[in-house]
């Protein structure tokens, strides 16, 4: 039989629903919101409205694809935070109505922990390794960059974080300077594959410990472009791929440098990636190379589990359900949320 959990994700600009039976994923539907592209970034008010339009059809589709009837669902898990408050409210309110109507418990999920727990989703064929505890996870998303020691499915310790911009923000903001559409990360990644990563160099931060900083890189990229454009107005167009490749290499180097030091400091060789930026091809290959050198056992999520999705909410909900950790009826979303 197994425990069936419906997962709901609405923290930013993706409306998603997924169904899981124990650790086995039965469906994962994601509706992305194109409305933000013309504004060059997520407009919170428009995101909330789009979630409101999408949530019922997305849940319906996830249940149909899973072949699960409403009365078979044991609990509904939802993202409580962190994220955009108006977006989170849509998922939270939907969850409350759904759970009241079916008389099933609600489970609140921290979006960041959920990104990490994708590594425990079982694929349809039942294959796939899972990391052993404790493992070290580099969590890189649009809003967060963290080095996390994962002690078990519930206890996680953040040992490093960005003190300013997240890695995803650095990708997106620099991509915007190159004239790429929003979100720029994936576009920059594609462009980088055609360029020379050694063509330009940009300043890297010198920060003690395991913390990151990306705002200086963004500024140095901006000033570099501004100076070059004074000499040659076509500089960006003529060097676009090389600029993308060089910038990507710089960001990947910064990320890998602290990851390497944190792994050595904690004596951990089980290393995982998570979050939207873990889709980056440069970061994925850098981890494979490093693993070869250092004998790391690495875990890289499938592309569909890198950016926001409800499968990660459902798997986290499964583990909380095992412990009977349910949310109360007056639960409210939180824009900032720690673990
Ligand atoms: O985890 P996520 O979907 O949302 C947040 O929780 O923030 O991450 C979105 C971020 C965006 O900044 C996006 O540009 C970045 O992930 N991203 C990438 C790639 N794919 C997504 N960045 C670099 N290379 C990629 N291939
Ligand atoms: Zn995310």
């Amino acid at each position: 039989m197994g425990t069936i959990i419906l997962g709901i994700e609405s923290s930013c600009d993706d409306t998603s629903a997924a169904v899981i039976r124990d650790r086995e994923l039965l469906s994962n539907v994601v509706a992305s919101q194109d409305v933000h592209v013309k504004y060059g970034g997520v407009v919170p008010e428009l995101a909330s409205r789009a979630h409101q339009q999408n949530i019922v059809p997305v849940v319906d589709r996830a249940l149909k694809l899973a072949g699960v009837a409403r009365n078979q669902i044991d609990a509904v898990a939802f993202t409580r935070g962190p994220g955009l408050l108006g977006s989170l409210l849509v998922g939270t309110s939907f969850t409350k109505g759904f759970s009241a109507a079916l008389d099933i418990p609600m489970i609140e999920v921290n979006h960041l922990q959920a990104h990490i727990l994708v590594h425990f989703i079982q694929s349809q064929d039942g294959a796939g390794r899972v990391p052993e505890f404790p493992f070290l996870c580099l969590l890189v998303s649009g809003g967060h960059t963290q080095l996390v020691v994962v002690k078990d499915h519930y206890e996680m310790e953040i040992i490093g974080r960005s003190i300013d911009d997240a890695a995803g923000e650095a990708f997106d903001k620099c991509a915007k300077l190159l004239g790429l559409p929003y979100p720029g990360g994936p576009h920059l990644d594609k462009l980088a594959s055609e360029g020379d990563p050694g063509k330009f160099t940009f300043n890297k931060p010198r920060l003690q410990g395991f913390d990151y900083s990306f705002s200086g890189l963004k500024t140095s990229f901006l000033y570099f472009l501004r100076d070059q454009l004074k000499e040659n107005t076509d500089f960006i167009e003529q060097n676009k791929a090389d600029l993308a490749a060089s910038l990507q290499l710089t960001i990947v180097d910064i990320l890998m440098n602290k990851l390497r030091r944190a792994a050595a400091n904690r004596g951990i060789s089980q290393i995982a990636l998570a979050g939207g930026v873990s889709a980056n091809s440069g970061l994925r290959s850098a981890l494979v190379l490093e693993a070869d050198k250092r004998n790391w056992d690495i875990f890289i999520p499938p592309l569909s589990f890198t950016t926001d999705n409800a499968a990660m909410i459902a798997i986290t909900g499964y583990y909380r359900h095992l412990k009977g950790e349910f949310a109360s009826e007056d639960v409210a979303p939180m824009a900032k949320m720690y673990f």
Side-chain angles (χ1 to χ4, degrees):
M1 285 292 289
T3 302
I4 295 187
I5 308 275
L6 169 68
I8 306 285
E9 156 62 28
S10 72
S11 66
C12 190
D13 61 341
D14 294 303
T15 319
S16 180
V19 180
I20 216 163
R21 185 194 293 119
D22 293 342
R23 288 174 43 227
E24 186 197 354
L25 186 64
L26 303 181
S27 65
N28 182 36
V29 176
V30 184
S32 300
Q33 305 176 357
D34 296 337
V35 63
H36 308 287
V37 175
K38 63 174 180 274
Y39 298 100
V42 177
V43 183
E45 175 73 27
L46 297 179
S48 318
R49 275 197 235 174
H51 282 306
Q52 188 78 319
Q53 287 172 325
N54 292 342
I55 193 134
V56 173
V58 163
V59 169
D60 250 11
R61 180 136 185 80
L63 291 175
K64 279 203 187 86
L65 285 177
V68 162
R70 277 162 210 219
N71 62 7
Q72 292 178 288
I73 303 171
D74 293 292
V76 51
F78 67 101
T79 306
R80 184 178 181 195
L84 299 171
L85 202 63
S87 291
L88 292 164
L89 265 169
V90 177
T92 310
S93 304
F94 175 88
T95 301
K96 287 190 182 192
F98 197 85
S99 105
L102 295 178
D103 196 21
I104 53 173
M106 296 182 285
I107 303 171
E108 63 176 78
V109 168
N110 178 308
H111 180 89
L112 299 174
Q113 284 195 333
H115 266 302
I116 296 173
L117 293 181
V118 290
H119 292 288
F120 295 91
I121 297 172
Q122 193 179 303
S123 60
Q124 293 279 349
D125 59 5
R129 301 172 313 127
V130 296
E132 281 165 30
F133 300 117
F135 66 91
L136 182 64
C137 185
L138 173 61
L139 169 58
V140 268
S141 73
H144 296 82
T145 300
Q146 297 177 338
L147 278 167
V148 184
V149 176
V150 186
K151 298 176 179 172
D152 60 29
H153 299 111
Y154 310 91
E155 206 191 335
M156 305 183 189
E157 182 194 356
I158 300 170
I159 60 168
R161 53 161 61 83
S162 175
I163 59 164
D164 41 54
D165 289 353
E169 264 174 294
F171 269 111
D172 293 344
K173 287 177 178 171
C174 293
K176 201 170 181 175
L177 296 174
L178 293 181
L180 300 175
Y182 181 85
H187 295 283
L188 196 137
D189 187 358
K190 198 156 167 255
L191 196 57
S193 65
E194 299 153 20
D196 171 8
K199 182 82 179 282
F200 305 107
T201 48
F202 305 106
N203 288 342
K204 293 182 191 157
R206 285 167 217 233
L207 221 62
Q208 295 296 312
F210 306 131
D211 283 343
Y212 287 108
S213 166
F214 287 100
S215 68
L217 173 63
K218 177 196 63 195
T219 314
S220 108
F221 191 63
L222 172 71
Y223 289 168
F224 175 76
L225 291 181
R226 194 191 55 187
D227 293 347
Q228 297 298 323
L229 286 169
K230 274 187 204 149
E231 310 286 318
N232 169 9
T233 49
D234 290 332
F235 180 77
I236 292 182
E237 278 318 309
Q238 288 166 0
N239 295 280
K240 225 175 198 173
D242 292 340
L243 285 164
S246 304
L247 184 86
Q248 177 164 301
L249 179 67
T250 311
I251 296 178
V252 169
D253 274 356
I254 297 171
L255 290 170
M256 290 301 298
N257 184 25
K258 294 280 164 119
L259 176 63
R260 196 180 298 122
R261 284 163 52 186
N265 177 277
R266 291 293 174 124
I268 298 179
S269 59
Q270 298 261 317
I271 313 287
L273 287 184
V277 179
S278 68
N280 185 264
S281 57
L283 181 59
R284 292 165 89 92
S285 15
L287 189 72
V288 172
L289 279 178
E290 200 68 37
D292 263 0
K293 254 194 249 163
R294 292 174 200 273
N295 244 337
W296 283 351
D297 198 5
I298 54 168
F299 298 85
I300 299 179
L303 283 177
S304 57
F305 296 160
T306 54
T307 46
D308 291 346
N309 64 85
M312 68 189 203
I313 307 304
I315 187 74
T316 310
Y318 164 72
Y319 285 108
R320 299 200 75 155
H321 187 272
L322 282 182
K323 278 202 170 180
E325 290 178 352
F326 301 125
S328 60
E329 284 172 359
D330 61 355
V331 64
M334 290 168 78
K336 285 198 191 322
M337 198 172 164
Y338 305 96
F339 57 89

